[in-house]
């Protein structure tokens, strides 16, 4: 038999690929069989890339699509806009979304007011996490507030780690604190590879990157 | 006036923070004023981390929430499940979602069938991109199919770069081809920082990571 790949016929190529796929599936099945713990996850989306809040919105939308109740607290005003709200409006009994008003935005230039808004948003977050009807709570842009030191980190970590066992919590925002990553179950860093702003492209409805 | 930060009173700290925020906002406003091009974006979500398809789903859901029409082609079966479908079912006039059946999955062990499925999915993709009523087309897990060489790369790149000027296209999947990244407008790499499988945690409804 030839060892030259160029000389293999299609049938041999397919047979080898199929054998490799069989082994891959067997390995994956063995791996999955060892995963037996069910619990609420502490999920963190961080990094400078796009998609942190969008993926959190995707998780929330998927959860409500599965009939689960979701609470959303926005620590930065204006991140979740018309599109998101319109989707959730179709599941009014399953979503509570709270834009904690005047929290840090690019428009804000009042640190004392920012701290007060962060405090109010955190109190709302604790209430949503304590509500046993919520299956998931999204703390959108909490990382930014923690980064600026507007909330006591220990207080936040304590509430997150002592949450109800079956509650999923999703925290977003760049510059996640290492202490938060340490206690999280699933952490994804969104890395910017290429951004259209560099090419002079404007933010647009439906994308709003 | 003291230079010791510890000795600054709260008012001074706030005044300095506010001045810094004013400058940051002014710089950002200047930057945004230079961004004037409106066009459809070619967006790529790649990397080994979670959130690639979830963020694409989030973009699609936001778009339909904004009243825009979206087409979805799934190159890998079973990625978009009940939750996603249930959300889109609330916007039946705005979403067309096509699971191109027997395409590559962990379950598949038939390379010839995979290639045929990839071909059919690509034809569906071209039809959706050609439909002027679609504002956005999601090509979910196309990267995997390209990685396996199941589709001709030049044919795909040519269709993507020659698409309608105002059409947004989102391509997901790990191992994006460098040639695709080259022609894309916005590329995010989702990097795995921490994964619960490592701690023995099972995939769950509403999360399905």
């Amino acid at each position: 038999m030839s060892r030259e790949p160029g000389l293999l016929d299609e049938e041999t190529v397919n047979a080898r690929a199929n054998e490799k796929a069989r082994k891959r599936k067997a390995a994956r099945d063995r791996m999955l069989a060892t995963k037996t713990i069910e619990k609420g996850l502490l999920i963190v989306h961080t990094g400078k890339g796009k998609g942190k809040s969008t993926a959190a919105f995707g998780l929330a939308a998927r959860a409500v699509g599965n009939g689960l109740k979701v609470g959303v607290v926005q620590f930065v005003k204006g991140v979740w806009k018309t599109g998101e709200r319109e989707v959730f409006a179709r599941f009014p009994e399953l979503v509570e979304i709270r834009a904690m008003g005047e929290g840090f935005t690019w428009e804000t230039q009042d640190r004392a007011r920012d701290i007060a808004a962060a405090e109010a948003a955190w109190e709302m977050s604790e209430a949503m996490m304590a509500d046993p009807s919520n299956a998931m709570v999204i703390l959108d842009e909490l990382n930014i507030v923690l980064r600026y030191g507007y909330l006591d980190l220990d207080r936040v970590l304590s509430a997150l780690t002592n949450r109800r066992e079956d509650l999923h919590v999703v925290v977003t925002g760049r510059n996640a604190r290492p202490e938060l990553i340490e206690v999280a179950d699933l952490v994804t860093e969104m890395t910017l590879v290429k951004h259209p702003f560099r090419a002079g492209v404007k933010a647009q409805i439906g994308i709003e990157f």
Side-chain angles (χ1 to χ4, degrees), chain A residues 28-105:
Chain A
R28 188 174 159 87
D29 287 348
R30 279 194 303 275
M31 185 278 283
L32 287 175
T34 66
K35 311 306 174 190
T36 52
I37 306 169
E38 277 200 35
K39 64 163 206 151
L41 299 176
L42 177 55
I43 298 173
V44 176
H45 296 166
T46 191
K48 291 184 181 172
K50 303 304 301 177
K52 299 182 289 292
S53 291
T54 306
F57 167 58
L59 285 173
R62 182 188 292 154
V64 302
N66 280 314
L68 302 173
K69 221 178 138 210
V70 176
V72 180
V73 179
Q74 299 177 247
F75 283 80
V76 172
K77 203 181 169 184
V79 175
W80 296 45
K81 299 202 187 79
T82 322
E84 288 88 333
R85 289 175 176 279
E86 195 57 42
V87 169
F88 287 144
R90 309 286 170 118
F91 300 87
E93 71 293 355
L94 291 179
V95 186
E96 184 181 7
I97 174 166
R98 293 295 185 99
M100 296 310 287
E102 306 310 314
F104 171 87
T105 74

Side-chain angles (χ1 to χ4, degrees), chain A residues 48-177:
Chain A
K48 291 184 181 172
K50 303 304 301 177
K52 299 182 289 292
S53 291
T54 306
F57 167 58
L59 285 173
R62 182 188 292 154
V64 302
N66 280 314
L68 302 173
K69 221 178 138 210
V70 176
V72 180
V73 179
Q74 299 177 247
F75 283 80
V76 172
K77 203 181 169 184
V79 175
W80 296 45
K81 299 202 187 79
T82 322
E84 288 88 333
R85 289 175 176 279
E86 195 57 42
V87 169
F88 287 144
R90 309 286 170 118
F91 300 87
E93 71 293 355
L94 291 179
V95 186
E96 184 181 7
I97 174 166
R98 293 295 185 99
M100 296 310 287
E102 306 310 314
F104 171 87
T105 74
W106 290 105
E107 306 301 318
T108 306
Q109 293 155 36
D110 186 336
R111 187 172 174 269
R113 197 181 60 174
D114 286 352
I115 291 175
E119 281 286 337
W122 181 248
E123 275 162 33
M124 175 61 62
S125 308
E126 289 197 330
M128 282 188 176
M129 290 194 285
D131 178 349
S133 72
N134 281 329
M136 179 183 285
V137 173
I138 312 272
L139 305 176
D140 193 52
E141 303 288 5
L142 172 60
N143 286 337
I144 292 190
V145 169
L146 292 176
R147 164 77 167 182
Y148 275 73
Y150 289 172
L151 287 174
D152 181 63
L153 183 62
D154 288 338
R155 179 179 164 203
V156 169
L157 293 179
S158 164
L160 291 175
T161 52
N162 292 313
R163 74 191 187 282
R164 224 174 58 232
E165 209 180 40
D166 58 347
L167 176 69
H168 300 296
V169 174
V170 185
V171 176
T172 76
R174 56 173 70 184
N175 295 311
R177 300 283 293 255

Side-chain angles (χ1 to χ4, degrees), chain A residues 16-32:
Chain A
R16 287 184 182 183
N18 295 349
E19 177 55 24
K20 207 172 151 190
R22 254 190 299 277
K23 285 184 181 160
R24 192 173 52 219
K25 172 163 159 48
R28 188 174 159 87
D29 287 348
R30 279 194 303 275
M31 185 278 283
L32 287 175

